[in-house]
Amino acid sequence: MTVVLDSPNLERLWALLSELSAQLSANKEQCVALQRQAEELKAQAVHTNTGFALKRFNVDITQERFESELERSNAQLTVENQQLHYENRQLNALLKDYEGTLESVMGRFRGLAVRFYSSVWKDGGLLCGGMSVHDGGGGCTCSLLPHFYDLLFIA
């Protein structure tokens, strides 16, 4: 069999080759789009796996396998919930301990501050407005001192 490549046959062959090339390019583009969509679905599946499975998307698995995986997922979430509840109780206990310690330290600080400022008030050595103000009897006549003393007890 001899193949004669005259001008019409050559043009027809070239047209078929161009058409096949175009179809191949379109198929490659669709393949890339499908791969991208598959990657997006995998990413969604990862995010969905962290929550509750609300629908059954995998119709290719049996109902028993789906239910067993659902039960496993629910059991895993229950265990994780219990662990978080335990950690929450531990953190609450630590917070109460911290608050108690802080209140104890602040109580001691307030006591020391009250004693210090009481002794300063009795001695009349408190500086008012940058200078020591005394009346003739050696007492402090600063009007801010009683307010400061009241604020100390409020704190």
Side-chain angles (χ1 to χ4, degrees), residues 39-50:
E39 291 298 321
E40 290 173 3
L41 288 174
K42 284 181 184 178
Q44 286 178 1
V46 167
H47 295 300
T48 304
N49 194 19
T50 60

Side-chain angles (χ1 to χ4, degrees), residues 53-64 66-67:
L54 299 176
K55 293 183 180 178
R56 181 177 173 194
F57 292 107
N58 299 333
V59 293
D60 60 332
I61 61 174
T62 63
Q63 183 70 22
E64 295 83 23
F66 173 75
E67 288 177 1

